[in-house]
Amino acid sequence: IVLLFVTQLSFRGGSRGQSSSVATFIGLGHVSEEVHHAPSAVLAGRQGTAHGSTSMAVPAFLEDRSGTAHGNTSVTVPARAGACFGSGTDIFDQLELNGAARNLWGCVDRSRVQAVMLTFGSKSMSDFLINWVEHVRRLGVDAGPYLVGALDAPMAELCHERGIAAATIPPRTLSVRGLSAHSQQLSQSSGYYRYQPGTFLRMGLVKELFIRQVLMAGFDAMVSDVDVVWLRPPWPLVRYSPAGPPVEPEAALLALADVILSVDQVQQYMDTDKHRWHVDSELNTGIIFFRATRPALAVLDEWRHAMADAIRARNENHDQFWLNQVLNPRRFVEMKKDARARREWVGSALAAQRNRSGGGLPRMPVESAGFDASSPQLRAAFQFERRFGATPANESGIDFKRRPPGGWPGGFRPVLGTFPIARVSNGHTFFIQRLHEIVGVSPVCVHTTYQYGDASSYAYGKRERLREAHLWLVDPPEYYAEGAFLELVSAPARQLSPASAELVMDTLRLEEHCVMAHLKLNALQRQWLQAGFLLAAALGRTLILPPLWCVVDRFWTILDHCLIGSKVEMPQPFICPLDHSFDVPAMISALPAWREHTFLSNPRTPPELAASRARLRVGRSAGGHEVSGADAWLPAGATFGAAEKALRSVRSRVLQVDVSDLSRLCRCVADLPAVHQLNQKLPAALGLPYHYCDTTDNPYFVGCKAAGRQGCRKHPVYLMNVSRGTQRPPSIPSRRCGDQAAAGESRCGEIELPGEYINEGVHARPSA
């Protein structure tokens, strides 16, 4: 396993990056003047195991906030603030640093660097690692240092080539922790780990080792998956700092919690006191903050214990599943509501923060009374009733029934918090709902979850979403600067406000049911793209897709009026990602390259390219073709072959065509043999299976669930009404059409729309 360390000394050229890089780095954060790393034996599990409670020396700054002594800790912490350590290995003594890392970490002001941004990556996600790093670098000095863990040799080599400081976990450490076999499996795995059973869980064990090393060195850790994009520094949501920006008012309690996680929820109205800020929901480890405290280490202990036992039991649930299991049952003391508990906790937490800072923290409340607990905007913090950590060596990490109700003696009671869902966005709140626009806040980051369109070899769907949002920084300059393009323009709907939109085409607007409207809309868009790809290929241009609209959300369970829940905050219809309606890997393997619908507005696209634009117009009646100024005219009913001949002389870099004009061309490619092979591929490449089940079609199910009955989906008579099938565009005729059509034969292919949507179930609408 190779772990890579990248910091804000971003290795950029120029006098600033070369002469002031160390000064830039040491001004990024804070770490206690008393803190020193733990000795080499700290990370060794008992008796060489990869789990169980750990006998370790814990630095003094890892204060006990629970009022409970931890029986397995001892402290040896010499003061070394601001000292040059020479090799840098004194900071992370379980890692072997390469030359760049030794230079970087060899002289660090430990009184000013206290938090690190972490991620991990393998060969299959190398592009996403580069994207993660570039976004963090763009945040500047406010983001602080960051570190990257490379999980295989190709990733290590990539980082070496790019001047990223690197470190390896030596074989001795892996062996002592019982991770040698897991490390070997990760190194031998190819492709995207998420689709390889058991591999993702093994990666979790390696991640835990790395996180622990960072916490033991005295740094808070903001850990995120490599498919996260950071848009703003996260620290105002999680920690107080005398040098950095102040903590945001809503996060005044959150900034003292031991562990803070992101959530998979999408309902903003539930991100409140009434619903406990989603703390009872599925917590997502893709973005998780660990404070350098003993309670946070105790959570790590139990997480490692559960993952290791799951691997031995051949239980292939991923690391996130086991952290959620570890955090159950979620019985808490709510610090926002319980004034007495809040006073005790806040007093010790603030004192510990001040001790770590080596002085006062002027932007902190001075006492518990400094928190306005009556404010509905103040996010709550939750202290577990039970203790974490100190699990006996002979206990199972996944047999939670054996754990005493109050936890094992000698453990700690961590304080848990959740990130605001409109600020720390998941793939649905950011790309589908655009919840930050509805709520009116600035997002801090986005994690590409709620995702489709990925393959076992590469996360194509994630990449496409990030491209559409101008958040993919990996494409080379020629992606934006070179070539000629056919821009397809469509407007089947329009946005009225961040929370509302409407269909504007009568064919869609007058449709009574949302599933039927969606299937018709999708059918139209597939056929528009089909014609666009053919015309672009004939002209030697790259197709720029139009914005794609959806009426039905793509989700893996029953929908409510075609959305996730009746109260979800989002417009309907909505602009949806490509992976919502298309099989992105199939498109990539079968079709010419295309560009996303936001391509021309991307800051990386040269302005002169967008300015070099002509418009294709198709007349409403037959006539000759003409190229004049910024417009090119074709007669209505012209075939694709006729269009290709007429448009050869257009020299503009971007040729724009509206789908209303495109639909007036004759859907025939008989006179254009160069695209016949592509024409054969398009129906399958632009097709996608669908499966929609909506409450409006299943009143028995709705009434059954409302009454609290069981077996609502399996009634012997009232079967679930479902829309299921595969939607693909019809083939465009390639012979006996256009001028080759015989008398009585159709000259052009027709646009086809579906006529019904429910094809499974009882179709009838019985009452509950």
Side-chain angles (χ1 to χ4, degrees):
I1 302 299
V2 180
L3 298 177
L4 305 178
F5 288 67
V6 191
T7 74
Q8 195 53 47
L9 305 184
S10 54
F11 309 101
R12 298 174 184 141
S15 60
R16 180 179 180 183
Q18 295 170 355
S19 64
S20 64
S21 57
V22 172
T24 300
F25 174 75
I26 64 176
L28 295 179
H30 302 268
V31 171
S32 170
E33 293 187 357
E34 294 85 24
V35 172
H36 184 48
H37 58 283
S40 300
V42 163
L43 297 182
R46 283 171 316 188
Q47 300 165 347
T49 63
H51 67 277
S53 63
T54 305
S55 178
M56 63 178 67
V58 181
F61 67 84
L62 297 180
E63 71 288 339
D64 177 1
R65 297 185 186 172
S66 67
T68 305
H70 195 302
N72 292 337
T73 60
S74 60
V75 177
T76 305
V77 187
R80 289 232 224 158
C84 284
F85 297 158
S87 68
T89 57
D90 284 15
I91 299 179
F92 305 106
D93 64 347
Q94 296 295 303
L95 305 173
E96 293 180 356
L97 307 185
N98 68 3
R102 287 194 296 271
N103 291 337
L104 190 60
W105 291 90
C107 191
V108 173
D109 186 345
R110 298 295 301 276
S111 68
R112 297 186 59 81
V113 179
Q114 281 192 336
V116 182
M117 300 182 72
L118 311 177
T119 194
F120 309 86
S122 63
K123 174 185 177 182
S124 67
M125 296 295 284
S126 58
D127 288 350
F128 288 84
L129 171 67
I130 295 170
N131 197 60
W132 189 95
V133 169
E134 289 302 314
H135 276 283
V136 172
R137 284 176 172 173
R138 287 188 175 198
L139 299 181
V141 296
D142 288 340
Y146 59 97
L147 305 97
V148 179
L151 302 177
D152 54 28
M155 176 62 75
E157 180 62 24
L158 172 71
C159 292
H160 171 74
E161 292 172 356
R162 290 177 173 265
I164 297 173
T168 62
I169 300 179
R172 174 183 58 82
T173 301
L174 292 170
S175 177
V176 168
R177 289 295 302 271
L179 295 178
S180 297
H182 305 321
S183 170
Q184 185 176 9
Q185 178 167 334
L186 291 176
S187 299
Q188 294 173 349
S189 297
S190 60
Y192 188 17
Y193 285 176
R194 185 170 292 278
Y195 293 98
Q196 299 180 23
T199 304
F200 216 65
L201 184 57
R202 286 172 170 81
M203 186 177 73
L205 275 178
V206 176
K207 286 167 55 177
E208 188 276 338
L209 173 61
F210 188 35
I211 297 167
R212 176 175 296 277
Q213 176 78 161
V214 171
L215 297 185
M216 295 299 293
F219 300 104
D220 296 341
M222 177 62 78
V223 185
S224 62
D225 286 351
V226 76
D227 60 343
V228 170
V229 168
W230 289 98
L231 306 173
R232 285 169 181 78
W235 310 125
L237 288 178
V238 296
R239 64 190 314 275
Y240 293 95
S241 170
V247 165
E248 297 189 9
E250 68 173 319
L253 285 175
L254 205 63
L256 297 173
D258 299 297
V259 180
I260 310 170
L261 288 107
S262 55
V263 299
D264 287 331
Q265 297 302 307
V266 300
Q267 297 91 351
Q268 175 66 25
Y269 77 91
M270 295 181 66
D271 205 21
T272 59
D273 280 318
K274 179 179 179 181
H275 299 281
R276 302 217 304 179
W277 306 93
H278 294 298
V279 75
D280 300 302
S281 68
E282 174 80 2
L283 301 174
N284 193 299
T285 58
I287 303 170
I288 180 171
F289 175 79
F290 288 97
R291 202 173 306 281
T293 63
R294 287 179 174 177
L297 280 169
V299 173
L300 276 177
D301 281 342
E302 291 205 7
W303 190 18
R304 180 186 73 249
H305 195 168
M307 288 189 291
D309 280 359
I311 291 173
R312 275 197 303 276
R314 299 188 177 182
N315 186 319
E316 295 178 348
N317 278 304
H318 48 73
D319 58 339
Q320 178 174 299
F321 172 85
W322 290 113
L323 183 58
N324 275 272
Q325 292 298 304
V326 161
L327 296 177
N328 288 331
R330 298 187 195 168
R331 292 195 286 268
F332 304 106
V333 175
E334 297 190 32
M335 295 303 187
K336 184 176 178 181
K337 294 181 179 180
D338 191 325
R340 180 177 178 179
R342 185 173 67 252
R343 282 195 300 271
E344 294 176 358
W345 171 64
V346 167
S348 63
L350 291 178
Q353 293 255 3
R354 290 191 177 94
N355 289 338
R356 289 186 62 195
S357 72
L361 292 176
R363 294 189 177 96
M364 307 174 65
V366 295
E367 56 184 339
S368 176
F371 298 91
D372 182 6
S374 66
S375 170
Q377 283 74 44
L378 178 66
R379 298 188 71 83
F382 304 87
Q383 186 174 47
F384 281 91
E385 292 183 354
R386 79 167 180 90
R387 295 179 295 272
F388 280 66
T391 309
N394 60 345
E395 290 296 336
S396 168
I398 60 177
D399 187 359
F400 300 105
K401 294 180 180 179
R402 294 175 59 86
R403 183 177 59 204
W408 299 105
F412 297 91
R413 295 173 58 202
V415 175
L416 183 69
T418 59
F419 288 112
I421 66 171
R423 305 288 307 281
V424 177
S425 306
N426 58 49
H428 198 278
T429 57
F430 188 88
F431 297 108
I432 311 301
Q433 297 168 253
R434 293 174 174 81
L435 187 60
H436 53 284
E437 297 178 3
I438 295 174
V439 178
V441 296
S442 299
V444 172
C445 61
V446 54
H447 185 196
T448 52
T449 56
Y450 284 86
Q451 184 69 54
Y452 303 90
D454 292 340
S456 59
S457 59
Y458 192 83
Y460 295 109
K462 295 178 187 288
R463 181 182 67 181
E464 201 65 24
R465 286 194 183 191
L466 294 174
R467 276 177 173 165
E468 291 175 359
H470 294 173
L471 297 179
W472 187 248
L473 305 180
V474 181
D475 289 317
E478 52 267 26
Y479 178 89
Y480 300 94
E482 296 181 0
F485 302 91
L486 178 69
E487 180 189 10
L488 196 58
V489 178
S490 69
R494 63 184 173 189
Q495 195 91 25
L496 302 176
S497 72
S500 63
E502 65 179 4
L503 296 168
V504 297
M505 296 180 65
D506 286 346
T507 304
L508 308 172
R509 182 172 55 84
L510 300 178
E511 186 56 57
E512 293 184 357
H513 198 281
C514 55
V515 172
M516 189 75 253
H518 178 75
L519 290 175
K520 285 186 175 180
L521 173 59
N522 253 348
L524 283 171
Q525 292 180 138
R526 292 182 200 284
Q527 291 169 86
W528 293 339
L529 264 61
Q530 177 187 33
F533 272 112
L534 288 171
L535 186 57
L539 296 173
R541 293 175 176 266
T542 299
L543 181 66
I544 301 176
L545 304 185
L548 299 173
W549 288 83
C550 292
V551 180
V552 177
D553 204 348
R554 188 175 180 186
F555 197 53
W556 40 83
T557 188
I558 191 166
L559 299 171
D560 192 320
H561 291 77
C562 296
L563 299 179
I564 304 177
S566 60
K567 295 183 179 180
V568 65
E569 300 92 346
M570 64 180 292
Q572 189 182 30
F574 56 96
I575 296 176
C576 50
L578 185 65
D579 62 82
H580 248 47
S581 300
F582 294 87
D583 184 339
V584 179
M587 291 178 65
I588 289 173
S589 65
L591 303 182
W594 66 86
R595 295 293 185 268
E596 60 280 4
H597 70 90
T598 59
F599 171 74
L600 293 177
S601 63
N602 194 305
R604 299 185 66 192
T605 301
E608 57 271 19
L609 188 154
S612 177
R613 185 178 298 184
R615 175 75 180 267
L616 170 60
R617 300 183 184 275
V618 180
R620 298 186 181 277
S621 60
H625 70 270
E626 178 184 358
V627 177
S628 175
D631 289 337
W633 287 86
L634 288 173
T639 64
F640 281 63
E644 185 271 334
K645 292 178 182 178
L647 298 173
R648 287 176 182 172
S649 60
V650 176
R651 294 290 177 259
S652 299
R653 296 281 303 281
V654 178
L655 177 60
Q656 185 183 79
V657 57
D658 192 281
V659 295
S660 60
D661 287 295
L662 192 64
S663 65
R664 287 192 285 271
L665 292 177
C666 177
R667 292 174 64 84
C668 171
V669 293
D671 53 353
L672 195 57
V675 300
H676 283 187
Q677 185 175 7
L678 175 61
N679 187 45
Q680 293 175 354
K681 295 179 179 179
L682 279 164
L686 296 179
L688 186 75
Y690 64 89
H691 183 181
Y692 304 127
C693 183
D694 195 73
T695 54
T696 55
D697 298 317
N698 293 280
Y700 172 79
F701 172 83
V702 174
C704 179
K705 295 295 286 186
R709 297 195 295 270
Q710 300 296 317
C712 298
R713 296 174 184 262
K714 300 179 181 180
H715 194 280
V717 176
Y718 300 132
L719 305 177
M720 298 294 288
N721 287 319
V722 174
S723 303
R724 189 200 302 267
T726 298
Q727 196 173 49
R728 55 172 58 96
S731 297
I732 292 181
S734 59
R735 63 187 187 89
R736 301 178 69 86
C737 61
D739 295 338
Q740 298 179 14
E745 291 182 328
S746 176
R747 184 173 180 275
C748 308
E750 299 290 336
I751 294 286
E752 297 182 9
L753 297 179
E756 63 176 4
Y757 66 98
I758 295 178
N759 50 19
E760 292 185 16
V762 296
H763 293 258
R765 300 194 176 201
S767 64

